[in-house]
Amino acid sequence: MTPPSPTGNWIGIVLFILLAAAGVILFGVRAVELITLLVRARRTDRTDHIEERIGSFFQVVLGQSGVLRDPVPGIAHFFTFWGFIIIQFGLLNLMLRAFGASLPLIGDSHVFAGLLDAFIIFVAIALVVFAIRRGIVRPKQLNSSLHGPLDGFIILIGIMLILITLALVEIFDYAASGGSSWSLFGAWFGPALSGAGTTTNLVLFRVFWWIHVTIFFAFLVYIPRSKHLHLMATPFNVFFRNYGLKGALPLLENIEEREDYGVSKPEQFTWKQLLDGYACTECGRCNTVCPASNTGKPLFPKEIILGVKEALFVQSDRILGEDTLWSKLGVAAGEFGETSKGKAAHHEPLVGGIITTDALWACTSCRACMEICPVSIEHVPTIVDMRRHLVMEESDFPQEVTSLFNNIERNANPWEISNDKRAEWAAGLDIPLLADNPGADVLYWVGCMGSFDERNKKVATSVAKILKAANVNFAILGPEESCTGDPARRIGNEYLYQMMAQQNIEVLNGYGLNVTDNQNSHNGHAASNGTAPKHRTIITACPHCFNTIKNEYPQLGGNYNVVHHTVFIDQLLSEEKISLPEGFDQRKLTYHDPCYIGRYNDIYDEPRRVLTVLNSNGISEMRRHRNKSFCCGGGGGRAWMEEKIGKRVNQTRVNEALSTGAEVLAAACPFCITMFDDGVKGVEVEEQLQIEDISEIVARAIEVQAAQEV
């Protein structure tokens, strides 16, 4: 028997064409609006690394690797995603039936029909899982101020209706065709309906076919106006993710000639930042790992991205002007499907309104949100762009930051201390200045904390002792070294950052440390001072200095070979340039991964290898470690701001260290050390937990080794 037509006659075909046209046109109008909003935004080039982008598309989009990191909802999402794709092929095949056609290869395939019904079952189970999570478990990260709680259930109910109606279409199609339209559901349930008669089954087949395709086109119109816009946007957002250096914020170019210095309006963001809002699944994973969110601060990374999206949509009529169908009909472009909050936000500013300044200042720039995001959203640059507006256009920033800016500008360091005193920590250690030893192989970049902070001077001394024990030919810049500008840049003072960066680059390039200069010198070209520079490496114990010099100075012409001190120490051990007594430190150790060498620069193994040599007991890892490490609370300029809201981030991390039973919390960052020293005092465990830089433990071990050899 020939499979029956779902529309019956030419009238049904015409009605179907009108329904399909209406759905496609309404979808297309919204899609054009969304694309036009991106076109009106600022440019950014995301066309590099094409092979990697294609690979990410297969891994993250088709393989769903991002969502699978959270197993239960991840597996459910995996089957929903692939079920959605497979069901669309089945739906297209049903639509073609109206014209007496079918898809090649799969149209009459029992294999595809069986696969389709299997995925209907899998997706139905996944929807039950999602409903339980939203209705019973209710994880707080799923809450959203942009879309009401019903929006998620509307989607779940709509998808379930598509599944149910598709199954009923198959069952009645099987019964009406006498089994010639084969499907798994039809074979299971169709024979039981044969007694109803062919005519009845045919009518029911057509009724449910119309319901099914109507729901589909309703979905097609609804999705780009709902939270599930991410179904359309995620593949593009993943493909256009940033493949530049993770540790480099976007450079604010032509800073002397610009009319604006940050972002306060939606159209001032880049198109990728706006696309982030389209792609946000509102899963809230970013909120679960954010140190500010976890300690009672008003920052929720998800709400930052959704806030930008909200501002974009409520102001879309202004941005688009008269270029939309809705404008011609007298309806605001963003009004269709707009939330009540959105309607109230038409006159509310983005920065300081939809997104509060307290939320922006709470960010530690730790990058945990970006690391966990399954759809490649870039939260931190978006936050910094809004901070730039507050700092450079509004002069609106925490009061305590004023002295930081003034001191960096006047003294080239964050304190009211003359930069002439930068090398005083090295008094009596016989450490030459680079000016006196221009042939040094290594420049030790001490950083402001190591140079001026009493606690971190001990770290600087330990690093110097290690270099001396390894007979490394090194030098320091002393007063020629200035603050790298990292805290100023993360807080939002891009102008001050660029001033400090250019000053340091001039000094470093003057000594021939630029990688290009070194390459030229090895090709027989002399440096500007007439001598061929031998030094090609900069080492530093500060992850913030490391990241800034290594990843951000190239934006301004400074390209250097920069190594973090833990990596350098690991290299010295592997090359047997230093030897340590095995099992030197028998205390129970745990290690904190600093954000700026961990998540930003993927340095995880080297510090652990060094600690393993020192301690035969190994490392007692904290629950959150490596790329899931919990920030110390000092990044993003927060080390210079008062923590007035919620629990202290540093105390939260100290308590995590205590839970391992560790006697020593080993760190590799001066900011972490300072924050944790304050943290142990805050929870009153100074006698129970010691805070030490890895270099301090190594330096003591070297001294013990030297004493044993004597």
Side-chain angles (χ1 to χ4, degrees):
M1 183 184 296
T2 303
S5 168
T7 53
N9 53 37
W10 68 269
I11 296 176
I13 293 175
V14 170
L15 290 175
F16 171 66
I17 291 173
L18 291 175
L19 173 65
V24 171
I25 289 172
L26 289 173
F27 172 83
V29 167
R30 182 57 173 168
V32 169
E33 288 175 354
L34 293 170
I35 293 170
T36 304
L37 288 172
L38 299 183
V39 171
R40 296 283 174 87
R42 284 185 169 162
R43 306 293 89 207
T44 185
D45 183 16
R46 296 297 176 90
T47 58
D48 57 346
H49 298 272
I50 292 298
E51 291 183 1
E52 290 91 337
R53 295 184 187 282
I54 294 172
S56 286
F57 177 84
F58 278 96
Q59 179 182 354
V60 179
V61 178
L62 300 183
Q64 295 283 286
S65 62
V67 296
L68 285 172
R69 285 181 291 186
D70 195 353
V72 174
I75 293 171
H77 197 282
F78 176 88
F79 283 110
T80 303
F81 171 80
W82 277 104
F84 182 84
I85 292 175
I86 292 171
I87 288 168
Q88 298 319 301
F89 282 103
L91 175 63
L92 181 58
N93 198 53
L94 281 174
M95 290 181 180
L96 289 175
R97 285 267 297 275
F99 304 96
S102 63
L103 287 173
L105 299 179
I106 68 173
D108 298 318
S109 169
H110 285 203
V111 174
F112 175 77
L115 181 66
L116 173 62
D117 288 356
F119 267 93
I120 289 176
I121 296 171
F122 294 149
V123 174
I125 294 171
L127 294 180
V128 172
V129 172
F130 291 142
I132 291 173
R133 274 174 56 81
R134 286 189 171 275
I136 299 176
V137 180
R138 295 181 181 180
K140 62 181 181 179
Q141 69 265 23
L142 291 180
N143 296 332
S144 170
S145 63
L146 179 57
H147 297 101
L150 291 179
D151 188 76
F153 285 104
I154 290 172
I155 297 293
L156 294 180
I157 292 170
I159 297 174
M160 187 63 81
L161 286 174
I162 285 180
L163 299 179
I164 292 171
T165 55
L166 177 56
L168 290 172
V169 166
E170 291 184 346
I171 292 169
F172 289 112
D173 187 20
Y174 182 96
S177 67
S180 62
S181 294
W182 190 90
S183 65
L184 196 60
F185 286 140
W188 286 347
F189 304 107
L193 299 173
S194 59
T198 300
T199 301
T200 300
N201 285 320
L202 179 60
V203 169
L204 290 173
F205 161 63
R206 288 172 175 168
V207 167
F208 284 110
W209 182 90
W210 277 103
I211 294 173
H212 184 64
V213 297
T214 300
I215 293 173
F216 167 77
F217 285 114
F219 245 74
L220 191 66
V221 174
Y222 180 70
I223 282 176
R225 295 168 174 84
S226 74
K227 72 181 288 291
H228 279 63
L229 170 62
H230 76 265
L231 293 173
M232 299 162 50
T234 291
F236 298 100
N237 209 55
V238 170
F239 184 82
F240 291 118
R241 60 177 289 192
N242 179 31
Y243 276 91
L245 297 170
K246 291 192 294 184
L249 287 171
L251 182 71
L252 203 60
E253 297 178 344
N254 303 317
I255 198 165
E256 297 284 356
E257 304 169 6
R258 298 180 68 94
E259 295 181 359
D260 54 43
Y261 299 94
V263 171
S264 61
K265 300 176 183 177
E267 65 269 28
Q268 291 177 319
F269 288 104
T270 68
W271 62 264
K272 174 58 173 66
Q273 289 172 315
L274 298 183
L275 184 61
D276 282 346
Y278 293 2
C280 181
T281 66
E282 302 186 29
C283 66
R285 286 175 173 84
C286 52
N287 292 348
T288 65
V289 298
C290 174
S293 303
N294 278 263
T295 54
K297 313 294 190 295
L299 169 62
F300 299 93
K302 179 179 77 171
E303 298 302 322
I304 296 291
I305 301 304
L306 295 181
V308 173
K309 176 183 175 182
E310 177 83 351
L312 176 68
F313 285 174
V314 300
Q315 297 182 39
S316 57
D317 52 336
R318 173 184 61 79
I319 299 169
L320 295 173
E322 299 180 357
D323 292 345
T324 68
L325 173 64
W326 307 121
S327 298
K328 295 176 174 60
L329 296 176
V331 181
E335 190 170 317
F336 189 25
E338 187 178 318
T339 64
S340 58
K341 182 194 175 200
K343 293 176 181 177
H346 270 291
H347 303 291
E348 190 176 10
L350 170 61
V351 181
I354 296 174
I355 297 173
T356 67
T357 56
D358 281 342
L360 295 176
W361 293 125
C363 178
T364 66
S365 72
C366 70
R367 205 178 185 273
C369 52
M370 294 174 62
E371 183 78 16
I372 200 171
C373 180
V375 294
S376 304
I377 289 172
E378 298 161 18
H379 312 71
V380 175
T382 295
I383 290 172
V384 172
D385 273 340
M386 288 185 278
R387 283 184 170 188
R388 287 171 174 175
H389 164 74
L390 288 172
V391 172
M392 293 189 287
E393 294 186 24
E394 301 294 330
S395 295
D396 180 7
F397 43 81
Q399 184 178 0
E400 57 268 26
V401 171
T402 302
S403 60
L404 172 71
F405 290 160
N406 291 338
N407 289 331
I408 291 177
E409 186 172 358
R410 295 170 185 168
N411 303 318
N413 68 75
W415 295 280
E416 292 184 3
I417 304 174
S418 171
N419 210 48
D420 292 340
K421 299 182 179 180
R422 189 174 278 269
E424 287 187 356
W425 68 272
L429 295 176
D430 192 27
I431 300 173
L433 298 178
L434 191 58
D436 299 326
N437 182 20
D441 298 316
V442 170
L443 169 64
Y444 174 29
W445 185 279
V446 184
C448 297
M449 295 288 276
S451 298
F452 297 107
D453 178 71
E454 290 301 322
R455 172 63 183 87
N456 283 288
K457 286 180 182 179
K458 298 176 183 177
V459 177
T461 300
S462 296
V463 173
K465 288 180 178 179
I466 294 169
L467 296 177
K468 282 180 169 291
N471 295 314
V472 174
N473 182 10
F474 77 100
I476 61 175
L477 284 172
E480 289 189 277
E481 178 184 304
S482 300
C483 176
T484 61
D486 164 79
R489 187 173 218 200
R490 265 68 197 172
I491 291 171
N493 195 337
E494 178 76 2
Y495 186 90
L496 180 56
Y497 158 72
Q498 290 194 22
M499 183 177 74
M500 301 309 300
Q502 288 166 349
Q503 180 175 314
N504 282 321
I505 289 170
E506 183 178 352
V507 171
L508 294 173
N509 288 357
Y511 281 108
L513 275 98
N514 195 301
V515 171
T516 304
D517 292 339
N518 278 282
Q519 290 171 344
N520 288 340
S521 71
H522 284 273
N523 289 327
H525 299 283
S528 58
N529 60 7
T531 61
K534 297 178 182 178
H535 49 275
R536 299 185 63 191
T537 302
I538 300 172
I539 71 165
T540 178
C542 177
H544 296 260
C545 295
F546 167 77
N547 180 75
T548 301
I549 300 172
K550 179 179 185 291
N551 296 325
E552 298 189 315
Y553 278 13
Q555 295 173 333
L556 296 169
N559 296 279
Y560 310 105
N561 179 28
V562 192
V563 180
H564 189 255
H565 77 310
T566 56
V567 176
F568 198 79
I569 293 170
D570 179 58
Q571 182 179 337
L572 293 177
L573 286 168
S574 66
E575 295 175 354
E576 298 184 349
K577 292 184 177 179
I578 57 173
S579 59
L580 304 178
E582 292 187 9
F584 160 75
D585 197 330
Q586 292 301 309
R587 297 171 299 174
K588 191 171 183 180
L589 296 173
T590 190
Y591 172 66
H592 167 78
D593 291 279
C595 304
Y596 275 79
I597 61 168
R599 277 186 291 270
Y600 277 101
N601 288 282
D602 299 311
I603 296 174
Y604 298 111
D605 295 329
E606 294 89 338
R608 286 174 168 79
R609 282 201 294 263
V610 174
L611 287 174
T612 302
V613 169
L614 291 165
N615 192 305
S616 57
N617 297 323
I619 300 169
S620 300
E621 296 283 9
M622 287 181 271
R623 178 174 61 88
R624 294 182 278 200
H625 61 282
R626 297 182 76 90
N627 67 330
K628 297 178 182 178
S629 179
F630 194 75
C631 181
C632 73
R638 287 297 316 173
W640 315 103
M641 303 179 201
E642 296 293 333
E643 195 168 358
K644 302 174 182 177
I645 305 173
K647 297 182 293 184
R648 291 188 175 273
V649 177
N650 57 353
Q651 292 180 12
T652 300
R653 187 58 166 168
V654 165
N655 283 326
E656 282 193 17
L658 288 169
S659 69
T660 67
E663 302 168 77
V664 179
L665 172 53
C669 170
F671 288 94
C672 295
I673 288 172
T674 299
M675 298 300 290
F676 293 148
D677 275 345
D678 290 343
V680 295
K681 293 173 184 175
V683 297
E684 299 180 345
V685 291
E686 297 99 313
E687 301 301 322
Q688 186 176 344
L689 184 66
Q690 293 178 284
I691 311 299
E692 294 188 0
D693 187 89
I694 289 176
S695 65
E696 294 180 287
I697 305 174
V698 173
R700 282 204 313 276
I702 288 174
E703 291 175 353
V704 170
Q705 179 76 7
Q708 290 176 353
E709 291 175 354
V710 171

